[in-house]
Amino acid sequence: SQHFSNLRQHFSFPSIFIYGHTSSGKTYVMQTLLSTLQLPHVFVNCVEYFTSRLLLEEILIKLQSCSGTEQTSPVRCDSLNDFVRLFKQAVASQELQDQTLYIVLDRAEQLREMEANILPAFLRLQELTDTNVTVVLLSEIVWELFRPNTGCFEPFTIYFPDYSIGHLQKILTQNHPPEYSADFYAAYINILLGVFYMVCRDLKELRHLAALNFAKYCEPVVRGEANERDTRKLWKNIEPHLKKAMQTVYLREISSSQWERLQHDGGEPGQLKGLSAHTHVELPYYSKFLLIAAYLASYNPVRTDKRFFLKHHGKIRKTNFMKKHEKTSNHLLGPKPFPLDRLLAILYSIVDERVAPTANIFSQITSLVTLQLLSMVGQNDQLDGPRYKCTVSLDFIRAVAR
């Protein structure tokens, strides 16, 4: 302990930059480390104190309670010069000169929105105040996006990698409900990560999804249809449910409370009117038909247009080639590009009344591209004219067609 108290008096590195994706443990590790080692520190979230004045004043106010005093008084700090002067006074009054003081700025990317002198000043605060202080910046973005063009003091950088699937398994399993065994909950987390790990590594998000869907996983056990060790039966019950959750809850198409209500009632996500994303796209009359025509053009081969859209098309010979290829669903192959004239030809055949190719129709096609419901491909090709692809799903187009 004597050796450790001697280390406290040593000057530390002036600034440390810690970065990594959201929910990789940066804030938790720093808070735990500083609290466990009982090091004097100030912890400030830069989103909460979003202007330089609010941030500087909050650091000075929190500095007052570093030595354990409960009473804090408001501080007025109008400039960086004021901050340096008041900071030196506070360190002297709290008798912190003999040990390293740590200032931790969480969500430090907000510093880039403040005055140009704030970030460089924090990086060399030790030099400016002539005190034993280390500033720790926590961020989700890399240091290269912080560095000012004019140059600055380079901090010591530390990278926090994402949690591996094994780490997530261990962390999430710690939250198991007391009425079920740890092994039973671990098997559930294993299935959850099997579905969600490829699209989501965010610990908070995964924890939320685990809590939301656990009741469904337990249903066969509660009804007496399976015991806790029937992993295969439990997996068959929950896996399709988790895949539905990925399409609705994770994408925020419906809220958690609505999802829980659906689980309780045994309904389908599609039954919730006005909640799913494809029900709140309001389009003009002809834009809806244009989108349907674009979908038909993207997913139907050109050779089938006569068969589908002409009333008196005569006989069409079914070749072996057609039979062979119709076995493969075009939805699995993805949308194919189509020219503008084919889109308009299909539009004219599916709309009951006569449609004139006016500027209004062409502007609506442009709007669909802007809304990213259509995408333009090969727009630099001057000879053939523009080609498009329909980017919406079958469920979306069904909702529009209804």
Side-chain angles (χ1 to χ4, degrees), residues 35 97 127:
S35 303
Q97 303 98 317
E127 181 190 335

Side-chain angles (χ1 to χ4, degrees), residues 172-193:
L172 291 168
T173 306
Q174 289 172 356
N175 295 348
H176 79 89
E179 61 269 27
Y180 292 99
S181 68
D183 289 345
F184 177 69
Y185 195 71
Y188 165 64
I189 293 299
N190 209 17
I191 294 167
L192 184 92
L193 290 174

Side-chain angles (χ1 to χ4, degrees), residues 151-190:
C152 64
F153 181 85
E154 292 288 313
F156 183 79
T157 56
I158 300 171
Y159 172 60
F160 271 49
D162 285 347
Y163 290 124
S164 68
I165 193 164
H167 289 143
L168 287 170
Q169 173 86 27
K170 276 185 182 172
I171 294 165
L172 291 168
T173 306
Q174 289 172 356
N175 295 348
H176 79 89
E179 61 269 27
Y180 292 99
S181 68
D183 289 345
F184 177 69
Y185 195 71
Y188 165 64
I189 293 299
N190 209 17

Side-chain angles (χ1 to χ4, degrees), residues 195-253:
V195 174
F196 283 100
Y197 185 71
M198 291 306 289
V199 294
C200 175
R201 310 285 167 91
D202 186 333
L203 181 62
K204 293 190 193 92
E205 192 75 46
L206 288 167
R207 194 173 270 156
H208 170 67
L209 288 162
L212 203 59
N213 295 290
F214 186 58
K216 188 75 178 174
Y217 182 69
C218 299
E219 269 182 12
V221 177
V222 173
R223 289 199 298 257
E225 294 169 6
N227 61 42
E228 288 192 10
R229 292 172 185 272
D230 288 340
T231 317
R232 183 170 170 74
K233 197 176 276 187
L234 293 165
W235 177 77
K236 281 182 81 175
N237 175 59
I238 192 70
E239 199 208 19
H241 185 78
L242 290 177
K243 285 183 175 169
K244 269 186 221 155
M246 183 156 66
Q247 293 162 8
T248 53
V249 185
Y250 178 57
L251 296 177
R252 297 295 187 270
E253 285 195 357

Side-chain angles (χ1 to χ4, degrees), residues 333-353:
L333 301 172
K336 301 282 189 298
F338 53 85
L340 179 62
D341 55 357
R342 185 174 171 224
L343 171 68
L344 294 174
I346 295 174
L347 172 74
Y348 300 150
S349 73
I350 63 173
V351 178
D352 289 337
E353 69 262 24

